[in-house]
Amino acid sequence: MTENGSSPQRDAPAAPLLRVVPPETRLSAMARLWARVVARSSFVPEGRSTARAVLENALRALVDALTSDSFDPTRGRAIGRALVASHISSPKALGDSIDLLGGRLLDELGIDDEQAPRRLAALLGQVATGFTESLRDAALGAAEDINKAERTAWRDQQRKLHRRLQHALLHDQLTDLPNRAQFTGWLAETLARAPVDARLGLCLVNLDRFKAINDSIGMEKADQVLLAVGNRLSAQAGRYGHFLAHLGADTFAIGVARTNDSDDVAKVADRALRTLADPIRLDGMQIPITASAGIVERAAAGAQATELIRAADISVGWAKTDQDRYRQGGRWALFDPDRNAAEVRRHTLTAEIPGALARGEFELAYQPLVRLADQELVGVEALARWNHPVHGWVSPGQFIPSAEDTGLIVPLGLALLEKACAQAAAWRASTGQSLIMSVNLAVAQIRTPGLLASITDVLRRTGWPAELLQLEITESAFIGTDDDAMDIVHGLADLGIGLAIDDFGTGYSSLAYLSELPVTNLKLAASFLRDLDAQTKTARSNLTILPALIKLSHDLDVSVTAEGIEEAAQATHLKGLDCDYGQGYHLGRPMPADNVTALLPQR
Ligand code: C2E
Ligand code: MG
Ligand code: MG
């Protein structure tokens, strides 16, 4: 184990303390030797002389501990640590050092004491312990440093990712404008911070026919259009300090944090629509765009962010359908809670129609059709009524339009037709009276295949003759009518069913129908009778038009019914013009079947 073969474990007689302090020269020589040994296995960045100085110090400490009066082997640990701290830290350096010191130290320094070898062994053991401890600490420190570095890098990345994610969550990918989530947040915050009497508004801008633009120029260019729109609106919002967001697709929102009244937001809408009125220039192309806007303006108190957005959204829909609100290339509509409530009610009612049909909640009121010449009751018009379990009697104006839009009018219309014919047959059976049963036929019904067959079935089932059935069709039924629909109208006439043009004068008022279609009756809209005795221009023109219309109809073998007769004078006037029939509150309101029964002469 030692170079000279001597064992450090020489028996030590009881202790006279080591008093041998080696001369400095021997210490230096030993240090040089040691330095040479460790140089083979350790790189000391500070250089050889530093290494020698370190080792000399270590040696001195070692000798000091070795020769100390109160021997404490643990002092070796500090020496081991000092070596590692001075970059003498390879395991080989430790091994070589222990070998060198254990083998030659005592001899080289001329220490010849019985206790010395054992003390040296104990000390060197502690040097090794201090050395390895220090190495482990350094390694742990390094690992810790690595961990720390990794953790910081990771945290940095997380933070960046988080920021990116946060940005993505709150911005539109295409325009990088605040998105719906951020806009909703902004609104909620604005509402939360608003003083009690504050008002605020928002304006939703939606491009018209964006799908068509998309289809015609392609998605990439359409994206460019959206970017350009975003830029224009952004410039404007920036100028006025409004909050612009891109809610998605072709919808942008402008939030106005402080308003006095709806005019403030109307101005915002006007400006937004105006800034979009110029075509978008893209790669030498000019792409014309228009937009519609929905605005909502109200007191901040009690308002909710999502509700405000929904309200503005509804208004955009109105702007698109309300054609009369043209404003410099675009339209806007202001949210109206009453209108919305009515629409909501209509939607709800529409959804309830199928169930109501199944439960038999639809009924008919019958309004007298009177021959003006002798005031005779010649027929009735069947008018739909909904006996709603919650709302009571609901008038057709509230459900017929939605029923037409949804196609529900087809089963509903047929059910009502059957009810009307059955009622007419019952009256004839009980009174012998053959009234004309006039039933409204919706446009959607005419366009439904199988209409002729279903009507034939109804007539067969109820036993009501086709000749006593009159179907009322509005003019709009004939706009852009294809041949199929024309065939159906002719088919109805061929069955012997009478055809009336309903509400003539409210639509296109084309007299061509009278000659081209198998029409038997013309129902003049109530508007012809308005203010007949007044001196207004409409009244005067109606006074001239009425006789001409009646004459023309008669020439074409078409009878005329005047609707909306509310006064005796009107009835007299029309009778004088040779108008055939009349209908109106003056002649009889729509009434339940039993009331009509009472009007009929009993057998
Ligand atoms: P319409 O076919 O023109 O029916 C006449 C409407 O004028 C009825 O309204 C009637 O109550 C009302 N009226 C009658 N006389 C007067 C009057 O002197 N003054 C005023 N101001 N109004 C009068 P109603 O019952 O509310 O029906 C409205 C419309 O709903 C009908 O107009 C018709 O277009 C439609 N409708 C009603 N029932 C049905 C139906 O079963 N099927 C279809 N497709 N439409 C129906
Ligand atoms: Mg009618
Ligand atoms: Mg009518």
Side-chain angles (χ1 to χ4, degrees), residues 232-316:
R232 286 190 194 179
L233 293 177
S234 182
Q236 204 156 66
R239 205 170 310 139
Y240 292 93
H242 299 151
F243 189 92
L244 177 71
H246 186 180
L247 298 196
D250 56 340
T251 303
F252 295 82
I254 306 164
V256 187
R258 282 290 172 84
T259 54
N260 294 314
D261 52 34
S262 60
D263 278 356
D264 287 349
V265 194
K267 275 187 211 130
V268 174
D270 275 336
R271 275 198 298 264
L273 297 178
R274 222 168 352 186
T275 193
L276 299 180
D278 279 342
I280 306 268
R281 280 170 289 279
L282 205 72
D283 302 338
M285 275 198 297
Q286 299 243 345
I287 301 158
I289 53 163
T290 59
S292 306
I295 63 184
V296 55
E297 195 276 339
R298 56 159 292 167
Q304 275 186 340
T306 46
E307 254 171 43
L308 282 172
I309 297 177
R310 217 171 62 83
D313 212 22
I314 290 168
S315 314
V316 176

Side-chain angles (χ1 to χ4, degrees), residues 149-161:
E150 271 177 1
R151 268 206 307 273
T152 323
W154 186 76
R155 231 182 280 125
D156 262 11
Q157 242 175 4
Q158 283 295 98
R159 227 175 273 136
K160 265 185 222 149
L161 200 73

Side-chain angles (χ1 to χ4, degrees), residues 164-187 204 243-249 251-255 309:
R164 258 200 3 238
L165 214 77
Q166 192 75 8
H167 189 88
L169 284 175
L170 295 177
H171 292 81
D172 181 85
Q173 277 190 347
L174 174 69
T175 54
D176 208 38
L177 287 167
N179 63 6
R180 181 180 289 269
Q182 193 179 160
F183 189 68
T184 312
W186 176 84
L187 267 178
L204 237 61
F243 189 92
L244 177 71
H246 186 180
L247 298 196
T251 303
F252 295 82
I254 306 164
I309 297 177

Side-chain angles (χ1 to χ4, degrees), residues 1-4 6-8 27 29-35 37-38 55-56 58-63 66 76 79-80 83 88 93-109 111 116-117 119-121 123-125 127-128 131:
M1 137 168 214
T2 58
E3 261 178 23
N4 60 8
S6 65
S7 162
L27 211 84
M30 184 66 203
R32 262 199 306 279
L33 183 62
W34 192 5
V37 168
V38 296
L55 292 176
E56 236 178 78
L59 219 45
R60 210 168 276 122
L62 196 65
V63 171
L66 194 66
I79 299 164
L83 294 178
I88 298 161
L94 175 68
D96 290 351
S97 299
I98 301 276
D99 279 352
L100 173 74
L101 298 173
R104 295 179 58 179
L105 182 71
L106 297 177
D107 285 347
E108 292 290 330
L109 298 187
I111 299 171
R119 282 192 175 188
L120 181 62
L123 267 173
L124 289 179
V127 168
F131 189 96

Side-chain angles (χ1 to χ4, degrees), residues 24 35 43 90 126 154 161 192 210 212 225 272 275 285 297 302 340 350-352 377 398 464 501 536 576 580 586:
E24 276 297 310
F43 170 71
S90 73
Q126 289 296 318
W154 186 76
L161 200 73
F210 184 66
V225 169
T275 193
M285 275 198 297
E297 195 276 339
N340 185 50
T350 308
E352 288 174 351
L377 177 70
Q398 295 198 51
W464 190 246
I501 302 258
T536 63
D580 307 273
H586 168 68

Side-chain angles (χ1 to χ4, degrees), residues 367 381 383-385 396 416 440 442 502-503 563-564 566 584-585 590:
Q367 186 174 29
E381 176 176 2
L383 295 162
R385 299 287 182 268
L416 291 176
N440 294 283
D502 202 358
D503 299 333
E563 291 187 79
E566 294 183 351
Y585 295 166

Side-chain angles (χ1 to χ4, degrees), residues 311-375:
D313 212 22
I314 290 168
S315 314
V316 176
W318 293 346
K320 300 230 179 215
T321 47
D322 296 357
Q323 297 295 324
D324 53 349
R325 279 212 188 241
Y326 273 95
R327 295 265 151 101
Q328 313 210 7
R331 288 146 287 181
W332 57 260
L334 174 67
F335 183 71
D336 168 6
D338 290 343
R339 177 174 175 179
N340 185 50
E343 283 190 0
V344 168
R345 189 170 126 115
R346 247 212 330 270
H347 290 316
T348 320
L349 284 176
T350 308
E352 288 174 351
I353 292 179
L357 246 177
R359 290 188 296 270
E361 288 171 15
F362 291 100
E363 310 240 348
L364 286 169
Y366 300 92
Q367 186 174 29
L369 295 168
V370 174
R371 187 163 52 220
L372 290 174
D374 55 8
Q375 302 268 309

